[in-house]
């Protein structure tokens, strides 16, 4: 087992067929050890692959890239349901390269974020992808926030983040002249980048190495082949059949799923556990009018509430020079519902019946109401922003884009805080690796995550 995966023991719930905790406990083979990989072509027209990655977001593309660079003789394909790559969580985020300060020491989030940020900066330099290491201030504006800020600073030191400083009011003004605050953490290594550009660069690397990308391929079913496509003495070379909504199918030996907002449903299609369930949270951004962008130089964040995985409404410069303010965090009534009134009866019923949302809502009712209120009334969000930059007014703000976060939630209403990777049992389950929960900072961590996934695939499937 890859050492980092030991932190996932007990995190993934119970899989169909007796999964009871640890990662490798879910991987027992009901039909013997998987056969060695077979060679194969990699043209986009081929219907058979050694390995298929389901999901063309940044984590799926990084993983595909890592696998083909490590195993160039294998045929590897990426399946994406949209006509373009990286259009959902990858294409709807704030673009921040996180430092790793927020995450529990020794957690996968902490380790992979710190490692991933360093790898990402190096990759962008190598590929000529523009980024800005503009830094971040985490600002306490109330006296009661200072103990939490100091605890967060200590956490950052434990996570090995370089260059952290606790600064006072006068130094806050030097870095952000229009920002008020009592004390702040200065994170100089935080940056910004266009993550969709990064993801498309991963895809280009993958294809140049011989990989295939199949778009408009929405997975509908995953099953074992009922008969061999060849007459080889080794039996079926490609025993897994993946079918799409148009009736097309491809065959493969092994599957890695990086399905984001649909990770629980894809897991269930493969016969593995759907838990933890994905609950979509929409985050709405506001835009600072261009003539007011001088008010913000770098990232300005509030002191986070440790009860929630959301970092609070913050000020974020973008690569195009604009300033985003947000996001909030409200329940989305559709998994890809970027507008307030987007609605899917299937998604809503799934959330109510199968997840622990009712328990979460009852435990955090006032927080949810506050977020909904701020989403509806611009003035409420501006009043909050004025705690940091008093000069901002409602007339300086425009409504902006939105993103939807795939948040894993267990049946007890607990938000799953760390990355979750699991598998199943039986003929299909022992050939599948699922990336189940990879919210922010997954984009920052994508290269580190892909290395870990490549290690696990190599060991699990004996490549």
């Amino acid at each position: 087992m890859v050492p980092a995966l030991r932190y996932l023991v007990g995190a993934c719930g119970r899989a169909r067929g007796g999964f009871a905790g640890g990662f490798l406990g879910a991987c027992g083979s009901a039909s013997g050890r998987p056969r060695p990989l077979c060679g194969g072509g990699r043209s986009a027209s081929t219907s058979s692959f050694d390995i298929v990655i389901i999901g063309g977001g940044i984590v799926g593309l990084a993983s595909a890239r890592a696998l083909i660079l490590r195993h160039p003789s294998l045929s590897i394909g990426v399946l994406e349901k949209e006509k373009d790559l990286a259009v959902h969580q990858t294409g709807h985020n704030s673009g921040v390269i996180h430092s790793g300060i927020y995450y529990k020491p020794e957690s996968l989030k902490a380790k992979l974020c710190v490692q991933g940020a360093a790898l990402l900066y190096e990759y962008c330099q190598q590929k000529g992808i523009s980024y800005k290491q503009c830094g971040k201030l985490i600002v306490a504006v109330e006296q009661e926030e200072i103990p939490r800020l100091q605890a967060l600073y200590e956490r950052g030191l434990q996570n090995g983040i370089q260059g952290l400083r606790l600064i006072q009011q006068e130094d806050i003004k030097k870095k952000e002249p229009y920002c008020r605050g009592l004390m702040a953490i200065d994170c100089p290594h935080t940056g910004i980048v266009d993550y969709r550009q990064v993801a498309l660069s991963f895809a280009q690397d993958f294809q140049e190495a011989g990989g295939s990308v199949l778009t408009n391929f929405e997975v509908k079913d995953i099953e074992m082949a009922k008969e061999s496509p060849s007459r080889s003495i080794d039996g079926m070379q490609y025993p897994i059949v993946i079918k799409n909504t148009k009736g097309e199918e491809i065959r493969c030996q092994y599957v890695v799923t990086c399905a984001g907002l649909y990770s629980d449903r894809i897991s269930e299609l493969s016969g593995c556990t759907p838990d933890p369930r994905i609950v979509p949270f929409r985050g709405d951004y506001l835009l600072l009018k261009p003539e007011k962008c001088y008010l913000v130089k770098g990232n300005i964040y509030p002191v986070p509430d440790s009860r929630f995985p959301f970092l609070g409404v913050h000020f974020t410069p973008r690569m195009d020079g604009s300033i985003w303010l947000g996001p909030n965090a409200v329940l989305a009534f559709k998994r890809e519902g970027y507008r307030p009134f987007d609605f899917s009866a299937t998604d809503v019923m799934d959330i109510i019946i199968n997840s622990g949302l009712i328990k979460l809502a009852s435990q955090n009712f006032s927080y949810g109401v506050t977020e909904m209120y701020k989403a509806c009334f611009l003035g409420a969000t501006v009043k909050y922003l004025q705690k940091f930059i008093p000069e901002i007014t409602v007339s300086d703000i425009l409504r902006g884009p939105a993103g939807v976060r795939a948040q894993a939630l267990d049946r007890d209403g607990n938000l799953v805080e760390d990355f979750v990777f699991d598998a199943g049992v039986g003929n299909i389950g022992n050939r599948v690796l699922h990336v189940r929960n990879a919210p922010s900072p997954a984009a920052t961590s994508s290269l580190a995550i892909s290395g870990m996934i490549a290690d696990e695939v190599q060991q699990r499937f004996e490549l």
Side-chain angles (χ1 to χ4, degrees):
M1 179 184 290
V2 178
L5 292 175
R6 292 174 184 155
Y7 294 101
L8 298 175
V9 173
C12 302
R14 181 175 298 275
R16 184 181 303 174
F19 171 51
F23 189 100
L24 291 187
C27 306
S29 171
S31 60
R33 192 169 63 190
R35 296 182 182 90
L37 287 175
C38 308
R42 300 194 201 95
S43 67
S45 61
T46 187
S47 61
S48 299
F49 297 96
D50 294 316
I51 303 173
V52 161
I53 292 88
I54 298 176
I58 195 168
V59 173
L61 294 170
S63 300
R65 172 184 177 273
L67 284 167
I68 204 162
L69 292 180
R70 191 176 297 191
H71 304 285
S73 64
L74 302 184
S75 59
I76 302 176
V78 171
L79 307 182
E80 167 56 43
K81 73 183 182 68
E82 305 292 352
K83 65 181 180 65
D84 297 311
L85 296 170
V87 297
H88 288 296
Q89 290 190 99
T90 304
H92 288 82
N93 63 60
S94 62
V96 175
I97 303 174
H98 291 282
S99 64
I101 190 172
Y102 297 106
Y103 315 116
K104 184 178 179 181
E106 301 300 319
S107 66
L108 277 179
K109 270 193 176 183
K111 291 183 174 182
L112 295 177
C113 185
V114 173
Q115 180 187 355
L119 291 172
L120 183 58
Y121 281 128
E122 181 181 359
Y123 181 83
C124 289
Q125 289 174 345
Q126 291 175 350
K127 294 293 181 176
I129 297 173
S130 297
Y131 68 91
K132 295 178 183 177
Q133 196 167 315
C134 54
K136 171 169 66 177
L137 293 184
I138 304 171
V139 182
V141 295
E142 306 288 348
Q143 196 68 37
E144 63 187 24
E145 294 175 334
I146 290 180
R148 282 191 286 144
L149 185 77
Q150 292 171 327
L152 186 62
Y153 172 73
E154 294 297 328
R155 171 173 284 192
L157 295 180
Q158 291 180 59
N159 288 343
I161 299 167
Q162 301 298 313
L164 290 182
R165 295 189 304 149
L166 272 176
I167 61 176
Q168 306 299 323
Q169 294 182 35
E170 57 273 18
D171 289 322
I172 293 174
K173 287 291 184 183
K174 290 178 183 177
K175 294 189 73 71
E176 292 286 350
Y178 297 94
C179 179
R180 65 173 288 270
L182 303 176
M183 184 182 292
I185 299 173
D186 179 15
C187 306
H189 293 293
T190 299
I192 55 173
V193 74
D194 181 341
Y195 277 118
R196 186 157 190 265
Q197 183 182 3
V198 173
L200 294 180
S201 181
F202 290 164
Q204 183 177 351
D205 294 345
F206 172 66
Q207 290 176 299
E208 287 177 351
S212 299
V213 175
L214 283 71
T215 55
N216 289 311
F217 196 105
E218 183 175 356
V219 174
K220 181 181 180 182
D221 196 17
I222 304 173
E223 62 185 17
M224 294 297 291
K226 295 179 174 60
E227 60 183 21
S228 175
S230 67
R231 298 182 180 277
S232 66
I233 60 173
D234 293 328
M236 289 184 295
Q237 291 184 340
Y238 306 105
I240 296 180
V241 178
I242 302 176
K243 298 180 179 179
N244 69 8
T245 53
K246 295 179 286 188
E248 301 166 339
E249 66 179 48
I250 61 102
R251 295 184 182 229
C252 62
Q253 293 201 63
Y254 302 109
V255 180
V256 178
T257 73
C258 304
L261 285 157
Y262 293 91
S263 61
D264 53 345
R265 293 181 182 174
I266 294 296
S267 177
E268 193 168 20
L269 284 180
S270 72
C272 299
T273 176
D275 296 317
R277 292 283 183 174
I278 293 298
V279 176
F281 284 90
R282 192 183 77 251
D284 301 305
Y285 288 94
L286 303 175
L287 301 177
L288 201 56
K289 288 183 177 179
E291 61 268 25
K292 292 292 184 176
C293 288
Y294 69 88
L295 293 171
V296 179
K297 289 188 174 183
N299 294 281
I300 303 173
Y301 277 60
V303 179
D305 188 331
S306 59
R307 294 174 299 169
F308 306 104
F310 313 111
L311 300 180
V313 174
H314 46 268
F315 302 76
T316 300
R318 299 279 292 179
M319 290 302 298
D320 62 4
S322 63
I323 303 293
W324 285 18
L325 314 172
N328 56 8
V330 295
L331 179 67
F333 298 109
K334 185 179 180 181
R335 293 208 179 196
E336 292 162 358
Y338 299 106
R339 296 170 297 184
F341 298 106
D342 285 346
F343 181 85
S344 165
T346 300
D347 290 348
V348 170
M349 292 304 296
D350 191 30
I351 292 169
I352 294 173
I353 295 173
N354 295 318
S355 76
L357 178 68
I358 302 300
K359 293 181 180 178
L360 175 69
S362 64
Q363 295 164 4
N364 303 282
F365 182 76
S366 61
Y367 177 86
V369 170
T370 300
E371 289 296 296
M372 290 292 292
Y373 181 79
K374 287 193 294 186
C376 295
F377 299 99
L378 200 61
T381 301
V382 171
K383 185 176 180 180
Y384 176 81
L385 294 170
Q386 287 172 337
K387 292 181 178 182
F388 301 88
I389 300 182
E391 285 83 354
I392 289 179
T393 66
V394 173
S395 62
D396 299 328
I397 302 298
L398 301 171
R399 290 198 178 273
V404 179
R405 173 186 177 127
Q407 176 61 54
L409 187 68
D410 69 22
R411 290 184 177 271
D412 294 325
N414 299 311
L415 296 168
V416 180
E417 295 183 1
D418 211 349
F419 295 127
V420 174
F421 307 84
D422 73 350
V425 295
N427 292 340
I428 297 180
N430 62 24
R431 292 177 175 270
V432 178
L433 175 64
H434 294 293
V435 180
R436 298 298 307 277
N437 187 47
S440 180
T444 300
S445 309
S446 55
L447 286 170
I449 292 172
S450 70
M452 188 187 71
I453 288 174
D455 289 342
E456 185 62 25
V457 166
Q458 182 171 331
Q459 185 164 337
R460 248 178 73 72
F461 303 145
E462 299 185 357
L463 302 188

